[in-house]
Each structure stands twice: as C-alpha cells, then as structure tokens.
Amino acid sequence: MITLTVQGSFEKATKYLGRLAKFKVKRIMEEYGKKGVAALAAATPKDTGKTSESWGYKIDESEGFARLSWYNTNDNDGRFNVAIGLQYGHGTGTGGWVEGIDYINPAIQPIFEEYKEAIIQEVTKHV
C-alpha cells in the first residue's frame, strides 16, 4: 500500500491564477468597450453631436461573472434618452411622430462578433 500525504493548500496559487485569467479577460473587455464606443459614436446621427459624444461603456464584475455594456448619457434634460429616441422613434411636442433609425444594431453587431471571438480565444488558449 502506498500513502501520499499533502499538507497545506493550493489556495494562494489558485487565487493567483484566477486573478491572472480575470485580468486578461478584463483587458479584452476594456478593448472592446472602447471599440464599441467608437463604432456607436461614428454611427450615431449627428445634429449637434452631443448624442454621438455621449457614448460610454461599463464593466460589471462579481464572483464568476463579468458583463460589458454600453450606454448613452444624452437624456434631453431628463425627459428621455436621445440615443434610444433616435433608434426607436419618438413623439414630438406637437403630437407628431419621428420614425426611428436602426443605427445601433448595425454599428455594434461587428463588435459583438469580434469580442466573442477574442473571448473564446482567450478562454480556450490554455485548454
């Protein structure tokens, strides 16, 4: 009979490797967050340019979870989000309707595809 006894733990090593893996994924998220902002800004219909300049991104993280999202802060004095109004349409102050323009989906879809491939490549690199 052979007996193997190990004392201690691999907790520090596991935490360290987990942080390294997370850092690389976060770096990719940062890169594609910026690419998404640039694509959305370029595609946004421009009148004053305020809406196109108001794009940003956010990374939310918790244990085993990370999410990348884009947002636009141009809210027309708190009444409605201008970027969403341009995308889906909106009413006017005189009872009319302004039809929306689908500019968000065509701009962000290529970023989604590139982002997906970059994440898959990073996650599977060491498998």
Side-chain angles (χ1 to χ4, degrees):
M1 174 183 208
I2 298 175
T3 303
L4 177 63
T5 304
V6 177
Q7 291 182 319
S9 85
F10 293 101
E11 184 178 347
K12 286 183 182 178
T14 302
K15 283 184 180 180
Y16 174 73
L17 292 172
R19 283 194 307 271
L20 285 178
K22 188 174 184 179
F23 178 75
K24 290 178 184 177
V25 170
K26 185 170 182 180
R27 189 177 68 224
I28 293 169
M29 294 176 90
E30 293 279 351
E31 176 186 347
Y32 283 92
K34 291 173 186 173
K35 283 184 176 187
V37 165
L40 290 164
T44 302
K46 290 166 186 65
D47 184 14
T48 66
K50 186 175 179 184
T51 304
S52 65
E53 294 167 2
S54 297
W55 287 103
Y57 70 94
K58 181 170 97 170
I59 298 172
D60 295 308
E61 297 177 274
S62 63
E63 190 64 34
F65 168 86
R67 174 178 49 212
L68 171 60
S69 55
W70 291 269
Y71 60 87
N72 191 289
T73 58
N74 187 12
D75 66 5
N76 195 12
D77 298 323
R79 292 183 288 197
F80 81 106
N81 185 285
V82 176
I84 299 301
L86 290 170
Q87 174 74 19
Y88 295 107
H90 58 89
T92 67
T94 59
W97 177 257
V98 176
E99 194 65 36
I101 303 165
D102 185 14
Y103 71 98
I104 293 174
N105 294 312
I108 205 70
Q109 191 61 43
I111 303 301
F112 286 160
E113 294 301 320
E114 288 179 32
Y115 173 60
K116 178 183 78 173
E117 292 303 318
I119 292 292
I120 288 171
Q121 184 178 8
E122 181 63 32
V123 171
T124 59
K125 185 178 358 183
H126 302 291
V127 176

